[in-house]
Amino acid sequence: MQNKVTKAIFPVAGFGTRFLPATKSIPKEMLPLVDRPLIQYAIDEARAAGITDFIFVTSRGKSALEDYFDRAPELESALAENGKQHLLDRLKQTEMGSGTVAYVRQHERLGLGHAVWCARHLIGNEAFAVILPDDVIDAETPCLKQMVDAYATTGGNMVATMEVAPEATSAYGILDVGPGSGPTLSVRGMVEKPKPEVAPSNLAIIGRYILRPSVLTHLDSIKAGAGGEIQLTDAIAREISEKDNVHALRFRGKRYDCGSKSGYLQATVAFGLQDPELGDEFGAYLAEVMAARTDDPTDARQVQLVR
Ligand code: G1P
């Protein structure tokens, strides 16, 4: 029986430059998909996997994120006075218990590996999860829960993976895996952001990890790698060479890259269509837009609408 995974690290210190100017004053993790910020999707997924301790690696300019996890007593009493019980219930669902949230600061943006390493004193000698909130995964069984279930058999370290277009490898950590056709693969090597001509495969790491505490020890001495940054991928690769205990799970679900504008818009459409209150109306609107585009594909305004 493996140790239970109860702690998760959420690296949220990035600038979010792809969403400027919005991210000049709003942390990108606070951008909403319909009505819930990206970070809420990550937290809900963590909770569904049994995570009870939430560690956020933040930086300057992220106070909106810290406020988000606080109670808002004035707002709650105003809602109660106005009989808005359904909104109060919605707030209640996102409440974090006292003492379950911790923040550590990343003083310098030195890379994902460095961000995770900043949380080392809060982890101790136990396995932990890492969730990158940019990667939003829509799945019947939440992705991290699928991983925790697979990890119960494999132990060691585990990353989530999916196939990406071969020309896209330089945007991801890429895996070299052993033979096998099941969802759980044994990982022989991993390399951060390789050019397609040298990539060992087109299986990309997606932002969900279950890691041994020894990865944090590797991060003590890992040198800057791809992009001049301290890479988590390089620390996990060291686990492979020393202990050969890394697995990858081909998760079931659809991943949206909400770190990119296009992925963010796609997720907005997908979650908008799934919304019980909005879905029908929104779907009808999208159908109308698409039909108008088919009627007159050269109409510049329509083309702009659907691109
Ligand atoms: C990070 C990781 C990379 C992984 C990706 C998934 O890269 O370093 O290995 O494939 O997340 O989203 P980033 O997107 O932060 O450049």
Side-chain angles (χ1 to χ4, degrees), residues 40-79:
Q40 188 64 52
Y41 288 82
I43 288 168
D44 289 349
E45 185 180 328
R47 277 192 169 140
I51 299 295
T52 52
D53 293 12
F54 303 82
I55 302 166
F56 297 93
V57 183
T58 67
S59 60
R60 282 163 61 85
K62 297 280 176 169
S63 47
L65 216 141
E66 299 184 13
D67 289 348
Y68 179 72
F69 296 118
D70 271 345
R71 293 282 295 271
E74 304 85 353
L75 174 62
E76 286 173 25
S77 35
L79 291 173

mmCIF file of all heavy atoms in Angstrom, residues 40-79:
data_model
loop_
_atom_site.group_PDB
_atom_site.id
_atom_site.type_symbol
_atom_site.label_atom_id
_atom_site.label_comp_id
_atom_site.label_asym_id
_atom_site.label_seq_id
_atom_site.Cartn_x
_atom_site.Cartn_y
_atom_site.Cartn_z
ATOM 1 N N GLN A 40 -9.929 27.630 -9.494
ATOM 2 C CA GLN A 40 -10.982 26.835 -8.853
ATOM 3 C C GLN A 40 -11.108 25.455 -9.510
ATOM 4 O O GLN A 40 -11.360 24.462 -8.830
ATOM 5 C CB GLN A 40 -12.319 27.584 -8.916
ATOM 6 C CG GLN A 40 -13.420 26.922 -8.096
ATOM 7 C CD GLN A 40 -13.099 26.917 -6.603
ATOM 8 O OE1 GLN A 40 -12.788 27.961 -6.040
ATOM 9 N NE2 GLN A 40 -13.137 25.756 -5.966
ATOM 10 N N TYR A 41 -10.919 25.413 -10.833
ATOM 11 C CA TYR A 41 -10.965 24.113 -11.517
ATOM 12 C C TYR A 41 -9.848 23.209 -10.987
ATOM 13 O O TYR A 41 -10.042 22.015 -10.759
ATOM 14 C CB TYR A 41 -10.821 24.296 -13.036
ATOM 15 C CG TYR A 41 -12.053 24.894 -13.683
ATOM 16 C CD1 TYR A 41 -12.289 26.269 -13.669
ATOM 17 C CD2 TYR A 41 -12.999 24.074 -14.299
ATOM 18 C CE1 TYR A 41 -13.417 26.816 -14.250
ATOM 19 C CE2 TYR A 41 -14.135 24.615 -14.896
ATOM 20 C CZ TYR A 41 -14.341 25.990 -14.864
ATOM 21 O OH TYR A 41 -15.470 26.519 -15.432
ATOM 22 N N ALA A 42 -8.668 23.805 -10.766
ATOM 23 C CA ALA A 42 -7.523 23.024 -10.269
ATOM 24 C C ALA A 42 -7.791 22.525 -8.849
ATOM 25 O O ALA A 42 -7.492 21.373 -8.512
ATOM 26 C CB ALA A 42 -6.262 23.882 -10.314
ATOM 27 N N ILE A 43 -8.386 23.395 -8.032
ATOM 28 C CA ILE A 43 -8.662 23.008 -6.641
ATOM 29 C C ILE A 43 -9.725 21.912 -6.585
ATOM 30 O O ILE A 43 -9.590 20.934 -5.849
ATOM 31 C CB ILE A 43 -9.116 24.244 -5.843
ATOM 32 C CG1 ILE A 43 -7.909 25.135 -5.622
ATOM 33 C CG2 ILE A 43 -9.746 23.859 -4.518
ATOM 34 C CD1 ILE A 43 -8.251 26.495 -5.123
ATOM 35 N N ASP A 44 -10.763 22.065 -7.384
ATOM 36 C CA ASP A 44 -11.821 21.051 -7.379
ATOM 37 C C ASP A 44 -11.241 19.693 -7.796
ATOM 38 O O ASP A 44 -11.587 18.656 -7.229
ATOM 39 C CB ASP A 44 -12.952 21.440 -8.346
ATOM 40 C CG ASP A 44 -13.756 22.622 -7.810
ATOM 41 O OD1 ASP A 44 -13.575 22.994 -6.634
ATOM 42 O OD2 ASP A 44 -14.552 23.192 -8.590
ATOM 43 N N GLU A 45 -10.350 19.727 -8.780
ATOM 44 C CA GLU A 45 -9.741 18.465 -9.228
ATOM 45 C C GLU A 45 -8.887 17.857 -8.109
ATOM 46 O O GLU A 45 -8.928 16.644 -7.878
ATOM 47 C CB GLU A 45 -8.882 18.722 -10.485
ATOM 48 C CG GLU A 45 -8.341 17.434 -11.059
ATOM 49 C CD GLU A 45 -7.496 17.640 -12.305
ATOM 50 O OE1 GLU A 45 -7.765 18.585 -13.084
ATOM 51 O OE2 GLU A 45 -6.559 16.845 -12.490
ATOM 52 N N ALA A 46 -8.138 18.717 -7.420
ATOM 53 C CA ALA A 46 -7.290 18.223 -6.327
ATOM 54 C C ALA A 46 -8.147 17.608 -5.231
ATOM 55 O O ALA A 46 -7.869 16.508 -4.738
ATOM 56 C CB ALA A 46 -6.447 19.369 -5.775
ATOM 57 N N ARG A 47 -9.210 18.298 -4.872
ATOM 58 C CA ARG A 47 -10.099 17.790 -3.815
ATOM 59 C C ARG A 47 -10.669 16.426 -4.176
ATOM 60 O O ARG A 47 -10.745 15.532 -3.341
ATOM 61 C CB ARG A 47 -11.267 18.754 -3.623
ATOM 62 C CG ARG A 47 -10.911 19.912 -2.729
ATOM 63 C CD ARG A 47 -12.213 20.610 -2.375
ATOM 64 N NE ARG A 47 -11.992 21.564 -1.329
ATOM 65 C CZ ARG A 47 -12.570 22.759 -1.293
ATOM 66 N NH1 ARG A 47 -13.388 23.125 -2.254
ATOM 67 N NH2 ARG A 47 -12.334 23.568 -0.302
ATOM 68 N N ALA A 48 -11.076 16.304 -5.440
ATOM 69 C CA ALA A 48 -11.668 15.037 -5.885
ATOM 70 C C ALA A 48 -10.660 13.895 -5.813
ATOM 71 O O ALA A 48 -11.041 12.726 -5.809
ATOM 72 C CB ALA A 48 -12.202 15.189 -7.312
ATOM 73 N N ALA A 49 -9.373 14.236 -5.759
ATOM 74 C CA ALA A 49 -8.331 13.199 -5.687
ATOM 75 C C ALA A 49 -7.893 12.959 -4.243
ATOM 76 O O ALA A 49 -6.957 12.200 -4.005
ATOM 77 C CB ALA A 49 -7.137 13.623 -6.539
ATOM 78 N N GLY A 50 -8.523 13.629 -3.286
ATOM 79 C CA GLY A 50 -8.200 13.398 -1.878
ATOM 80 C C GLY A 50 -7.195 14.375 -1.295
ATOM 81 O O GLY A 50 -6.707 14.185 -0.181
ATOM 82 N N ILE A 51 -6.856 15.434 -2.046
ATOM 83 C CA ILE A 51 -5.900 16.425 -1.523
ATOM 84 C C ILE A 51 -6.581 17.254 -0.424
ATOM 85 O O ILE A 51 -7.711 17.722 -0.592
ATOM 86 C CB ILE A 51 -5.415 17.366 -2.652
ATOM 87 C CG1 ILE A 51 -4.699 16.577 -3.755
ATOM 88 C CG2 ILE A 51 -4.543 18.503 -2.101
ATOM 89 C CD1 ILE A 51 -3.412 15.893 -3.354
ATOM 90 N N THR A 52 -5.864 17.425 0.693
ATOM 91 C CA THR A 52 -6.410 18.205 1.804
ATOM 92 C C THR A 52 -5.559 19.433 2.128
ATOM 93 O O THR A 52 -6.005 20.336 2.831
ATOM 94 C CB THR A 52 -6.511 17.346 3.080
ATOM 95 O OG1 THR A 52 -5.233 16.731 3.301
ATOM 96 C CG2 THR A 52 -7.569 16.258 2.934
ATOM 97 N N ASP A 53 -4.305 19.455 1.630
ATOM 98 C CA ASP A 53 -3.400 20.581 1.900
ATOM 99 C C ASP A 53 -3.006 21.233 0.590
ATOM 100 O O ASP A 53 -2.459 20.557 -0.299
ATOM 101 C CB ASP A 53 -2.126 20.104 2.609
ATOM 102 C CG ASP A 53 -2.407 19.606 4.007
ATOM 103 O OD1 ASP A 53 -3.595 19.422 4.332
ATOM 104 O OD2 ASP A 53 -1.443 19.393 4.758
ATOM 105 N N PHE A 54 -3.258 22.525 0.477
ATOM 106 C CA PHE A 54 -3.092 23.237 -0.787
ATOM 107 C C PHE A 54 -1.967 24.256 -0.631
ATOM 108 O O PHE A 54 -2.068 25.152 0.211
ATOM 109 C CB PHE A 54 -4.395 23.934 -1.162
ATOM 110 C CG PHE A 54 -5.559 22.987 -1.252
ATOM 111 C CD1 PHE A 54 -6.248 22.589 -0.116
ATOM 112 C CD2 PHE A 54 -5.947 22.468 -2.478
ATOM 113 C CE1 PHE A 54 -7.309 21.694 -0.193
ATOM 114 C CE2 PHE A 54 -7.007 21.582 -2.575
ATOM 115 C CZ PHE A 54 -7.689 21.192 -1.421
ATOM 116 N N ILE A 55 -0.928 24.125 -1.430
ATOM 117 C CA ILE A 55 0.234 25.008 -1.294
ATOM 118 C C ILE A 55 0.380 25.816 -2.589
ATOM 119 O O ILE A 55 0.559 25.237 -3.675
ATOM 120 C CB ILE A 55 1.511 24.170 -1.061
ATOM 121 C CG1 ILE A 55 1.336 23.301 0.188
ATOM 122 C CG2 ILE A 55 2.738 25.082 -0.931
ATOM 123 C CD1 ILE A 55 2.381 22.212 0.323
ATOM 124 N N PHE A 56 0.278 27.112 -2.464
ATOM 125 C CA PHE A 56 0.371 27.980 -3.640
ATOM 126 C C PHE A 56 1.724 28.660 -3.660
ATOM 127 O O PHE A 56 2.125 29.263 -2.654
ATOM 128 C CB PHE A 56 -0.747 29.029 -3.626
ATOM 129 C CG PHE A 56 -2.101 28.386 -3.702
ATOM 130 C CD1 PHE A 56 -2.806 28.076 -2.556
ATOM 131 C CD2 PHE A 56 -2.643 28.043 -4.929
ATOM 132 C CE1 PHE A 56 -4.030 27.452 -2.625
ATOM 133 C CE2 PHE A 56 -3.868 27.419 -5.015
ATOM 134 C CZ PHE A 56 -4.563 27.118 -3.864
ATOM 135 N N VAL A 57 2.412 28.541 -4.779
ATOM 136 C CA VAL A 57 3.691 29.241 -4.922
ATOM 137 C C VAL A 57 3.390 30.519 -5.694
ATOM 138 O O VAL A 57 3.084 30.469 -6.894
ATOM 139 C CB VAL A 57 4.731 28.376 -5.661
ATOM 140 C CG1 VAL A 57 6.070 29.117 -5.732
ATOM 141 C CG2 VAL A 57 4.910 27.036 -4.954
ATOM 142 N N THR A 58 3.408 31.631 -4.974
ATOM 143 C CA THR A 58 2.964 32.895 -5.555
ATOM 144 C C THR A 58 4.136 33.860 -5.728
ATOM 145 O O THR A 58 5.293 33.498 -5.510
ATOM 146 C CB THR A 58 1.894 33.575 -4.675
ATOM 147 O OG1 THR A 58 2.508 33.975 -3.465
ATOM 148 C CG2 THR A 58 0.740 32.661 -4.366
ATOM 149 N N SER A 59 3.803 35.063 -6.105
ATOM 150 C CA SER A 59 4.838 36.083 -6.304
ATOM 151 C C SER A 59 4.153 37.441 -6.141
ATOM 152 O O SER A 59 2.950 37.512 -5.845
ATOM 153 C CB SER A 59 5.425 35.959 -7.703
ATOM 154 O OG SER A 59 4.382 36.139 -8.642
ATOM 155 N N ARG A 60 4.903 38.499 -6.406
ATOM 156 C CA ARG A 60 4.297 39.832 -6.343
ATOM 157 C C ARG A 60 3.089 39.911 -7.274
ATOM 158 O O ARG A 60 3.087 39.270 -8.316
ATOM 159 C CB ARG A 60 5.313 40.860 -6.839
ATOM 160 C CG ARG A 60 6.371 41.202 -5.832
ATOM 161 C CD ARG A 60 7.513 41.857 -6.556
ATOM 162 N NE ARG A 60 7.069 43.088 -7.223
ATOM 163 C CZ ARG A 60 7.005 44.276 -6.627
ATOM 164 N NH1 ARG A 60 7.371 44.397 -5.381
ATOM 165 N NH2 ARG A 60 6.603 45.336 -7.286
ATOM 166 N N GLY A 61 2.117 40.699 -6.889
ATOM 167 C CA GLY A 61 0.981 40.952 -7.787
ATOM 168 C C GLY A 61 -0.066 39.850 -7.796
ATOM 169 O O GLY A 61 -0.912 39.802 -8.676
ATOM 170 N N LYS A 62 -0.015 38.940 -6.828
ATOM 171 C CA LYS A 62 -0.978 37.837 -6.832
ATOM 172 C C LYS A 62 -1.962 37.939 -5.672
ATOM 173 O O LYS A 62 -2.562 36.941 -5.269
ATOM 174 C CB LYS A 62 -0.216 36.504 -6.748
ATOM 175 C CG LYS A 62 0.681 36.232 -7.932
ATOM 176 C CD LYS A 62 -0.106 35.710 -9.120
ATOM 177 C CE LYS A 62 0.805 35.549 -10.330
ATOM 178 N NZ LYS A 62 0.169 34.817 -11.419
ATOM 179 N N SER A 63 -2.117 39.153 -5.111
ATOM 180 C CA SER A 63 -2.945 39.248 -3.903
ATOM 181 C C SER A 63 -4.414 38.923 -4.188
ATOM 182 O O SER A 63 -5.114 38.420 -3.307
ATOM 183 C CB SER A 63 -2.800 40.616 -3.247
ATOM 184 O OG SER A 63 -2.925 41.608 -4.222
ATOM 185 N N ALA A 64 -4.876 39.144 -5.421
ATOM 186 C CA ALA A 64 -6.279 38.808 -5.742
ATOM 187 C C ALA A 64 -6.510 37.311 -5.535
ATOM 188 O O ALA A 64 -7.596 36.884 -5.137
ATOM 189 C CB ALA A 64 -6.602 39.191 -7.180
ATOM 190 N N LEU A 65 -5.463 36.538 -5.797
ATOM 191 C CA LEU A 65 -5.574 35.093 -5.629
ATOM 192 C C LEU A 65 -5.680 34.738 -4.142
ATOM 193 O O LEU A 65 -6.494 33.898 -3.750
ATOM 194 C CB LEU A 65 -4.312 34.463 -6.217
ATOM 195 C CG LEU A 65 -4.504 33.144 -6.910
ATOM 196 C CD1 LEU A 65 -3.618 33.113 -8.130
ATOM 197 C CD2 LEU A 65 -4.149 32.015 -6.020
ATOM 198 N N GLU A 66 -4.874 35.407 -3.323
ATOM 199 C CA GLU A 66 -4.921 35.124 -1.888
ATOM 200 C C GLU A 66 -6.281 35.553 -1.317
ATOM 201 O O GLU A 66 -6.881 34.830 -0.523
ATOM 202 C CB GLU A 66 -3.758 35.816 -1.183
ATOM 203 C CG GLU A 66 -2.433 35.297 -1.741
ATOM 204 C CD GLU A 66 -1.195 35.852 -1.049
ATOM 205 O OE1 GLU A 66 -1.344 36.460 0.023
ATOM 206 O OE2 GLU A 66 -0.098 35.664 -1.583
ATOM 207 N N ASP A 67 -6.787 36.701 -1.769
ATOM 208 C CA ASP A 67 -8.102 37.163 -1.295
ATOM 209 C C ASP A 67 -9.200 36.172 -1.683
ATOM 210 O O ASP A 67 -10.174 36.006 -0.957
ATOM 211 C CB ASP A 67 -8.467 38.527 -1.916
ATOM 212 C CG ASP A 67 -7.620 39.647 -1.343
ATOM 213 O OD1 ASP A 67 -6.930 39.407 -0.334
ATOM 214 O OD2 ASP A 67 -7.629 40.755 -1.920
ATOM 215 N N TYR A 68 -9.033 35.552 -2.831
ATOM 216 C CA TYR A 68 -10.064 34.643 -3.323
ATOM 217 C C TYR A 68 -10.326 33.508 -2.335
ATOM 218 O O TYR A 68 -11.432 32.998 -2.231
ATOM 219 C CB TYR A 68 -9.644 34.097 -4.694
ATOM 220 C CG TYR A 68 -10.637 33.124 -5.274
ATOM 221 C CD1 TYR A 68 -11.858 33.566 -5.767
ATOM 222 C CD2 TYR A 68 -10.364 31.758 -5.309
ATOM 223 C CE1 TYR A 68 -12.785 32.680 -6.286
ATOM 224 C CE2 TYR A 68 -11.276 30.868 -5.825
ATOM 225 C CZ TYR A 68 -12.477 31.329 -6.312
ATOM 226 O OH TYR A 68 -13.392 30.452 -6.817
ATOM 227 N N PHE A 69 -9.287 33.118 -1.587
ATOM 228 C CA PHE A 69 -9.462 32.000 -0.657
ATOM 229 C C PHE A 69 -9.953 32.431 0.718
ATOM 230 O O PHE A 69 -10.163 31.611 1.591
ATOM 231 C CB PHE A 69 -8.152 31.209 -0.531
ATOM 232 C CG PHE A 69 -7.777 30.578 -1.819
ATOM 233 C CD1 PHE A 69 -6.605 30.916 -2.461
ATOM 234 C CD2 PHE A 69 -8.626 29.673 -2.422
ATOM 235 C CE1 PHE A 69 -6.274 30.348 -3.674
ATOM 236 C CE2 PHE A 69 -8.314 29.104 -3.625
ATOM 237 C CZ PHE A 69 -7.134 29.443 -4.254
ATOM 238 N N ASP A 70 -10.139 33.722 0.920
ATOM 239 C CA ASP A 70 -10.665 34.210 2.187
ATOM 240 C C ASP A 70 -12.187 34.208 2.170
ATOM 241 O O ASP A 70 -12.795 34.277 1.109
ATOM 242 C CB ASP A 70 -10.201 35.655 2.427
ATOM 243 C CG ASP A 70 -8.871 35.681 3.143
ATOM 244 O OD1 ASP A 70 -8.475 34.642 3.682
ATOM 245 O OD2 ASP A 70 -8.237 36.743 3.137
ATOM 246 N N ARG A 71 -12.777 34.169 3.386
ATOM 247 C CA ARG A 71 -14.214 34.405 3.488
ATOM 248 C C ARG A 71 -14.473 35.871 3.167
ATOM 249 O O ARG A 71 -13.605 36.715 3.323
ATOM 250 C CB ARG A 71 -14.685 34.143 4.930
ATOM 251 C CG ARG A 71 -14.600 32.711 5.387
ATOM 252 C CD ARG A 71 -15.721 31.850 4.849
ATOM 253 N NE ARG A 71 -17.052 32.225 5.335
ATOM 254 C CZ ARG A 71 -17.594 31.731 6.442
ATOM 255 N NH1 ARG A 71 -16.933 30.870 7.190
ATOM 256 N NH2 ARG A 71 -18.820 32.082 6.810
ATOM 257 N N ALA A 72 -15.673 36.185 2.699
ATOM 258 C CA ALA A 72 -16.042 37.579 2.435
ATOM 259 C C ALA A 72 -17.305 37.875 3.244
ATOM 260 O O ALA A 72 -18.426 37.835 2.710
ATOM 261 C CB ALA A 72 -16.281 37.778 0.940
ATOM 262 N N PRO A 73 -17.157 38.146 4.565
ATOM 263 C CA PRO A 73 -18.331 38.248 5.450
ATOM 264 C C PRO A 73 -19.359 39.290 4.999
ATOM 265 O O PRO A 73 -20.568 39.017 5.045
ATOM 266 C CB PRO A 73 -17.733 38.642 6.809
ATOM 267 C CG PRO A 73 -16.274 38.334 6.716
ATOM 268 C CD PRO A 73 -15.899 38.372 5.270
ATOM 269 N N GLU A 74 -18.890 40.462 4.511
ATOM 270 C CA GLU A 74 -19.874 41.493 4.112
ATOM 271 C C GLU A 74 -20.699 41.001 2.923
ATOM 272 O O GLU A 74 -21.910 41.159 2.882
ATOM 273 C CB GLU A 74 -19.179 42.805 3.700
ATOM 274 C CG GLU A 74 -18.251 43.415 4.720
ATOM 275 C CD GLU A 74 -16.837 42.825 4.669
ATOM 276 O OE1 GLU A 74 -16.611 41.832 3.925
ATOM 277 O OE2 GLU A 74 -15.968 43.332 5.380
ATOM 278 N N LEU A 75 -20.006 40.401 1.966
ATOM 279 C CA LEU A 75 -20.697 39.872 0.794
ATOM 280 C C LEU A 75 -21.688 38.788 1.214
ATOM 281 O O LEU A 75 -22.854 38.787 0.779
ATOM 282 C CB LEU A 75 -19.657 39.292 -0.188
ATOM 283 C CG LEU A 75 -20.187 38.554 -1.409
ATOM 284 C CD1 LEU A 75 -21.009 39.480 -2.305
ATOM 285 C CD2 LEU A 75 -19.028 37.961 -2.215
ATOM 286 N N GLU A 76 -21.253 37.907 2.111
ATOM 287 C CA GLU A 76 -22.128 36.819 2.544
ATOM 288 C C GLU A 76 -23.375 37.360 3.245
ATOM 289 O O GLU A 76 -24.485 36.893 2.981
ATOM 290 C CB GLU A 76 -21.371 35.855 3.466
ATOM 291 C CG GLU A 76 -20.394 34.986 2.696
ATOM 292 C CD GLU A 76 -19.511 34.134 3.590
ATOM 293 O OE1 GLU A 76 -19.914 33.831 4.731
ATOM 294 O OE2 GLU A 76 -18.396 33.782 3.144
ATOM 295 N N SER A 77 -23.197 38.389 4.120
ATOM 296 C CA SER A 77 -24.408 38.886 4.798
ATOM 297 C C SER A 77 -25.300 39.637 3.829
ATOM 298 O O SER A 77 -26.525 39.541 3.933
ATOM 299 C CB SER A 77 -24.106 39.694 6.071
ATOM 300 O OG SER A 77 -22.940 40.434 5.925
ATOM 301 N N ALA A 78 -24.708 40.334 2.849
ATOM 302 C CA ALA A 78 -25.559 41.021 1.862
ATOM 303 C C ALA A 78 -26.372 39.993 1.066
ATOM 304 O O ALA A 78 -27.566 40.179 0.828
ATOM 305 C CB ALA A 78 -24.684 41.865 0.928
ATOM 306 N N LEU A 79 -25.739 38.897 0.689
ATOM 307 C CA LEU A 79 -26.462 37.863 -0.071
ATOM 308 C C LEU A 79 -27.565 37.250 0.791
ATOM 309 O O LEU A 79 -28.688 37.018 0.308
ATOM 310 C CB LEU A 79 -25.489 36.772 -0.545
ATOM 311 C CG LEU A 79 -24.475 37.179 -1.620
ATOM 312 C CD1 LEU A 79 -23.475 36.058 -1.881
ATOM 313 C CD2 LEU A 79 -25.172 37.552 -2.935
#
